[in-house]
Amino acid sequence: VLLLTHSTGPSQRTEQQSVSHPGAMVNHKEFDKAGREAGLQIWRIEKMELVPVPDNLRGNFYVGDAYVVLHTVKQRDCCFYDLHYWLGKECSQDESAAAAIFTVQLDDFLGGKPVQYRELQGFESTAFTGYFKGGITYKAGGVASGFQHVVTNDLSAQRLFHIKGRRVVRAIEVTLSWSSFNRGDCFIVDLGAVIYQWCGSDCNKFERLKAAQVAAGIRDNERNGRAKLVVVEEGSEPLEFIEVLGNKPQLPEGDDKDDMTADISNRKMAKLYMVSDASGEMQVTLVSEENPFCQSHLLSDECFILDHGKSKMIFVWKGRNANPDERKTAMKTAEGFIKQMGYPANTQIQVLPEDGETPIFKQFFQGWKDKNQSEGFGKVFVTERIAKIRQIEFDASKLHESQSMAAQYNMVDDGTGDTQIFRVESNGRVPVDPNTYGQFYGGDCYIILYTYERGQIIYTWQGASSTIDELTASAFLTVDLDRSLGGNAVQVRVSQGKEPAHLLSLFKAKPLIVYKSGTSRLGGQASEPPTRLFQVRRNLDTITRIAEVDAEAGSLNSNDAYLLKVPSGQGYLWVGKGASEEEEKGAQYLSEVLSLQTQPILEGQEPDDFWSALGGRKDYQTSKRLESKSLTQQPRLFACSNKTGRFIIEEVPGEFTQEDLAEDDVMLLDVWDQVFIWIGKDANEVERTESVKSAKAYIDSDPGGRDKRTSVVIVKQGHEPPTFTGWFLGWDAARWNSDALAKTVKTLQL
């Protein structure tokens, strides 16, 4: 038995409180705003106080500071919290201690229910990086140097950012000098009025996309759209570029050292320890060194450490009846454990409350059973136990009531202002019939002007099938409209399928309908097909999106509802076994829009005419997991690549989409009862070979004792079966027919 001791004597606790004045402020004023609504809230430690970070600058972190980040998800009367404290490489000891103390206090204020994370710059967890799909930007300096988080229109700024990463892009501020450049990466030279995206001669198209996203974020958030974005290829630098940096020297090749790697070879190497201070000092005692563990090992009146340090991960599990001191010092105990075990300082730490375990933690236990099953796809929601905060049923129309909501949902009000929608034409903006507001065509671009008491917002919606000419025209007409309004409107570019919650709220709680291709200028598609199929999927609780998909059986999914329009003008309302009530209502609404008399049918009870209209029966995405509304095993997507010179596997953070499938990589999709290997058309032979081997090793080393007979399915780009595509919302089969990535980059640059 291994016995470790970690002192938490009075002198140490007194020192912590004296270092950070927040030690005695159990109910800080900022806590009253925390967790009241779903979304992301970020605070910076300034002079030992919590100071909110402006919503438009989420994802920007000063390397000399510490931050507290709270992510809240609400599902009816249940809520789920992820609570992080982030430490920059140059933050002071006092700021680090203050962030840790505020995290403990906020955890206590929220009833001990948050999952806590310690985040170190450059080694953030996938949960954390998933909040910032546009990337994380590390800025030089900090509060002690006078650097503030402010939305600025300073057109005299001069900065250089080095773009690193593929799945998780990190923009690192470096010295504005040619010595910071290399040929293998992309860089952003921010000169205020002009933002240059510099692309090295050896960079790849994926790096170009990430650089374009970061550059567009600087332009839209920090410059409020009032800066010009210019792409510069190595060797064709403009005069202004040379005036700032000087003559270009011979540049080195790219640095292939990765910030993060994933290692699946030792997934089973885990141990379980019990934490107790019954003896008067904190003791950590070995319980089991063989996993998968038994859930019965976890006792509600104790705390436990699940040591997976060889893979740089430590979990602390807090029993609901554990000693308050044990619960409150859980994070500090884990940090002491890491030191005594000799693990790297960047080992990740998660602190989990009982009944709030994450899927990653559960995988180490054989046959884990939840007391309260989750609702929805792969999400775990903790049932309320301590009513310390006001609980509100999730309502997108109320998101604006929290100042932090713009960070997560871009909500500025309840959407009751004045809305005008225009279709983009070559000769200008054409007003859209108000009776069709909320209905868009994939072959069109639209401009939505929203006016409310605080100003105006211009949304530019760009259909997935719109042409480059239409994309260019939409960007030009948006700028022209902004100028005609005095140049003070907020501009928001929206790609089909990425509509923010506030835009959806403008349609008065009606679902968003997107017709496949076509154009509304002809009253729909030029030759509307006689058979049409629409997929209805819920997100943000009661908000639904409706998308027209290929009218074939392979487009069906047991987790959704569908409306099928047949040549006779009638329709079928197909309800999958895992479809929600909101999705069924969305399909009913669409039948009214299309003036269809529909016949509701349940999955498994389809008449022959239904299958005939879809061209016959075909396999579609269905499984026992999708038929159930309680999914506890979360699907996970990994990228397999040897672009750095060695084969690595890196998890895609956050909710993944089809856009996360990189054509020059191999991807691994784990949906528990199957593991898919998706091979991009530009993947090399080493990646193809090693990925298949890694999939087998991934299954064999599963810490939860997974069935070794779990099937491995190899899928080729452009030939994906419905059992694969069904895990992606709004799968576009035509995406691979064109250079979609290049089109996305072009769109960001407009």
Side-chain angles (χ1 to χ4, degrees):
V1 175
L2 174 64
L3 179 65
L4 301 175
T5 62
H6 175 62
S7 174
T8 56
S11 61
Q12 187 175 20
R13 289 195 295 268
T14 301
E15 180 183 356
Q16 289 177 346
Q17 294 184 1
S18 63
V19 166
S20 57
H21 297 289
M25 298 181 185
V26 178
N27 292 321
H28 192 279
K29 61 181 181 180
E30 286 294 325
F31 291 0
D32 291 332
K33 308 172 186 177
R36 288 186 176 273
E37 299 287 355
L40 192 67
Q41 295 169 273
I42 304 177
W43 298 270
R44 181 167 71 158
I45 304 300
E46 298 185 10
K47 298 179 181 179
M48 304 304 130
E49 280 290 336
L50 284 177
V51 178
V53 172
D55 299 329
N56 284 357
L57 297 182
R58 66 187 188 277
N60 290 269
F61 297 91
Y62 285 104
V63 300
D65 289 332
Y67 295 78
V68 175
V69 178
L70 175 66
H71 183 245
T72 304
V73 174
K74 284 184 176 290
Q75 184 79 0
R76 297 182 174 86
D77 59 347
C78 300
C79 57
F80 176 71
Y81 306 104
D82 284 318
L83 180 57
H84 312 253
Y85 70 92
W86 184 93
L87 306 178
K89 291 182 178 179
E90 300 174 10
C91 79
S92 68
Q93 186 67 33
D94 286 356
E95 289 171 331
S96 173
I101 292 174
F102 275 128
T103 300
V104 171
Q105 292 176 352
L106 183 53
D107 175 77
D108 185 59
F109 181 83
L110 296 174
K113 296 194 278 73
V115 175
Q116 294 182 45
Y117 303 76
R118 181 192 64 162
E119 308 288 357
L120 302 180
Q121 178 186 336
F123 299 93
E124 295 87 355
S125 65
T126 54
F128 186 86
T129 56
Y131 306 144
F132 311 105
K133 277 294 187 179
I136 297 175
T137 300
Y138 300 137
K139 294 185 174 181
V143 65
S145 305
F147 291 90
Q148 300 296 321
H149 279 283
V150 294
V151 180
T152 177
N153 277 314
D154 181 9
L155 300 184
S156 63
Q158 291 192 346
R159 302 178 298 177
L160 176 64
F161 292 98
H162 184 189
I163 309 304
K164 292 288 289 182
R166 288 171 63 81
R167 242 54 56 182
V168 180
V169 60
R170 291 176 169 85
I172 306 170
E173 186 172 358
V174 293
T175 303
L176 184 59
S177 167
W178 280 117
S179 62
S180 300
F181 286 74
N182 68 69
R183 299 199 307 269
D185 290 329
C186 291
F187 293 79
I188 294 173
V189 181
D190 179 10
L191 300 183
V194 182
I195 301 171
Y196 292 99
Q197 175 191 332
W198 185 91
C199 303
S201 57
D202 296 333
C203 74
N204 58 51
K205 60 184 180 180
F206 202 86
E207 291 168 334
R208 288 173 178 267
L209 171 61
K210 293 300 184 180
Q213 290 174 339
V214 174
I218 294 174
R219 177 194 61 193
D220 298 340
N221 295 327
E222 297 191 36
R223 302 286 185 273
N224 287 331
R226 294 172 179 81
K228 183 180 180 181
L229 181 57
V230 178
V231 177
V232 175
E233 300 293 337
E234 181 183 356
S236 60
E237 293 80 8
L239 179 61
E240 183 182 11
F241 206 91
I242 301 299
E243 289 177 348
V244 173
L245 291 167
N247 293 326
K248 181 165 70 78
Q250 183 69 27
L251 299 179
E253 296 181 358
D255 179 9
D256 286 335
K257 181 180 179 182
D258 262 29
D259 292 325
M260 297 180 66
T261 61
D263 181 11
I264 63 172
S265 62
N266 53 7
R267 295 176 71 215
K268 295 197 70 172
M269 297 175 62
K271 297 180 181 180
L272 187 66
Y273 299 86
M274 183 172 69
V275 180
S276 175
D277 63 354
S279 63
E281 60 181 10
M282 203 67 71
Q283 294 184 339
V284 185
T285 309
L286 180 65
V287 174
S288 175
E289 56 182 346
E290 293 184 4
N291 63 289
F293 306 116
C294 295
Q295 191 176 355
S296 59
H297 284 150
L298 302 175
L299 307 176
S300 294
D301 55 354
E302 299 289 356
C303 290
F304 291 81
I305 289 179
L306 196 161
D307 173 17
H308 201 217
K310 294 295 180 63
S311 290
K312 297 185 179 180
M313 175 62 73
I314 297 292
F315 301 90
V316 179
W317 184 87
K318 303 184 299 182
R320 68 168 64 92
N321 300 323
N323 182 301
D325 288 338
E326 294 172 344
R327 293 167 57 90
K328 291 183 179 181
T329 60
M331 183 66 77
K332 191 167 186 61
T333 301
E335 291 176 343
F337 182 88
I338 289 173
K339 292 179 181 178
Q340 295 188 50
M341 295 296 289
Y343 293 146
N346 58 21
T347 299
Q348 293 183 7
I349 300 174
Q350 288 186 21
V351 180
L352 309 163
E354 183 174 358
D355 294 334
E357 300 84 0
T358 63
I360 306 302
F361 177 82
K362 295 176 186 177
Q363 70 177 349
F364 289 93
F365 295 82
Q366 181 74 47
W368 181 280
K369 293 183 179 179
D370 285 314
K371 178 181 178 181
N372 300 299
Q373 292 291 337
S374 66
E375 282 196 48
F377 182 69
K379 294 292 183 184
V380 179
F381 300 98
V382 184
T383 301
E384 289 293 343
R385 297 191 306 274
I386 303 176
K388 285 196 173 184
I389 59 175
R390 178 171 57 96
Q391 295 304 323
I392 304 173
E393 184 173 347
F394 185 95
D395 184 348
S397 67
K398 296 180 181 179
L399 293 180
H400 67 285
E401 295 177 0
S402 170
Q403 294 181 358
S404 68
M405 295 319 299
Q408 186 69 5
Y409 297 111
N410 296 316
M411 294 296 290
V412 296
D413 70 348
D414 58 2
T416 56
D418 180 64
T419 301
Q420 295 175 274
I421 302 180
F422 306 89
R423 186 179 61 253
V424 172
E425 298 285 3
S426 58
N427 59 346
R429 294 178 281 112
V430 178
V432 172
D433 183 354
N435 292 325
T436 64
Y437 281 9
Q439 301 179 45
F440 296 98
Y441 287 80
D444 282 337
C445 291
Y446 298 84
I447 294 176
I448 301 100
L449 173 62
Y450 181 70
T451 304
Y452 67 118
E453 61 180 6
R454 295 185 181 180
Q456 293 172 310
I457 301 174
I458 303 174
Y459 289 104
T460 307
W461 189 92
Q462 298 173 329
S465 301
S466 56
T467 65
I468 292 295
D469 289 343
E470 288 171 324
L471 294 174
T472 303
S474 69
F476 174 80
L477 292 173
T478 297
V479 173
D480 184 64
L481 177 59
D482 181 35
R483 288 173 179 169
S484 70
L485 297 172
N488 295 317
V490 175
Q491 299 178 32
V492 181
R493 182 186 295 104
V494 178
S495 298
Q496 179 180 328
K498 301 291 186 179
E499 298 81 10
H502 184 256
L503 176 58
L504 298 177
S505 74
L506 307 187
F507 310 128
K508 316 307 178 191
K510 296 178 181 178
L512 174 72
I513 302 173
V514 178
Y515 300 106
K516 186 176 182 179
S517 302
T519 171
S520 58
R521 71 174 61 93
L522 301 175
Q525 293 166 309
S527 56
E528 183 179 298
T531 303
R532 306 176 74 180
L533 182 64
F534 296 85
Q535 179 183 20
V536 185
R537 178 168 291 186
R538 179 189 71 175
N539 67 340
L540 292 179
D541 194 60
T542 58
I543 294 179
T544 55
R545 286 183 170 90
I546 301 175
E548 185 174 6
V549 295
D550 292 336
E552 58 180 36
S555 298
L556 299 175
N557 188 318
S558 293
N559 201 39
D560 298 325
Y562 288 78
L563 183 70
L564 172 64
K565 180 182 178 182
V566 296
S568 65
Q570 303 299 304
Y572 292 98
L573 199 165
W574 187 86
V575 182
K577 294 181 180 179
S580 68
E581 181 181 349
E582 289 79 8
E583 289 164 343
E584 187 174 353
K585 289 180 179 178
Q588 292 171 345
Y589 167 76
L590 178 60
S591 68
E592 297 172 2
V593 171
L594 298 179
S595 301
L596 293 179
Q597 292 291 328
T598 58
Q599 174 186 347
I601 54 175
L602 299 177
E603 182 179 3
Q605 301 178 15
E606 301 87 354
D608 291 339
D609 289 347
F610 176 83
W611 295 117
S612 296
L614 292 175
R617 288 177 180 265
K618 291 182 182 179
D619 291 336
Y620 62 87
Q621 176 64 324
T622 185
S623 68
K624 291 298 183 182
R625 294 187 63 218
L626 286 176
E627 293 174 7
S628 170
K629 297 182 181 180
S630 298
L631 302 175
T632 57
Q633 293 293 340
Q634 183 175 0
R636 303 170 68 185
L637 182 66
F638 301 84
C640 309
S641 174
N642 71 341
K643 299 297 185 295
T644 63
R646 64 185 186 280
F647 187 80
I648 63 171
I649 297 180
E650 184 179 11
E651 184 167 8
V652 175
E655 296 185 7
F656 55 81
T657 67
Q658 186 179 359
E659 293 180 358
D660 291 311
L661 299 176
E663 298 179 51
D664 57 349
D665 278 342
V666 171
M667 312 295 292
L668 186 152
L669 175 63
D670 178 11
V671 298
W672 184 249
D673 50 2
Q674 283 183 313
V675 173
F676 292 93
I677 296 295
W678 181 89
I679 301 177
K681 65 180 181 62
D682 295 330
N684 60 48
E685 191 59 36
V686 173
E687 292 169 338
R688 294 167 183 255
T689 304
E690 292 299 323
S691 297
V692 175
K693 294 179 181 178
S694 296
K696 183 65 167 61
Y698 179 89
I699 294 170
D700 291 343
S701 63
D702 190 284
R706 177 188 297 210
D707 189 342
K708 301 301 184 293
R709 296 170 296 178
T710 300
S711 60
V712 176
V713 182
I714 299 176
V715 176
K716 306 293 180 59
Q717 179 183 339
H719 303 279
E720 299 86 357
T723 50
F724 178 84
T725 61
W727 295 102
F728 297 80
L729 174 61
W731 180 271
D732 181 9
R735 177 181 176 84
W736 311 128
N737 296 337
S738 61
D739 193 349
L741 191 60
K743 181 178 178 180
T744 301
V745 173
K746 175 68 175 177
T747 302
L748 288 167
Q749 294 166 358
L750 294 174

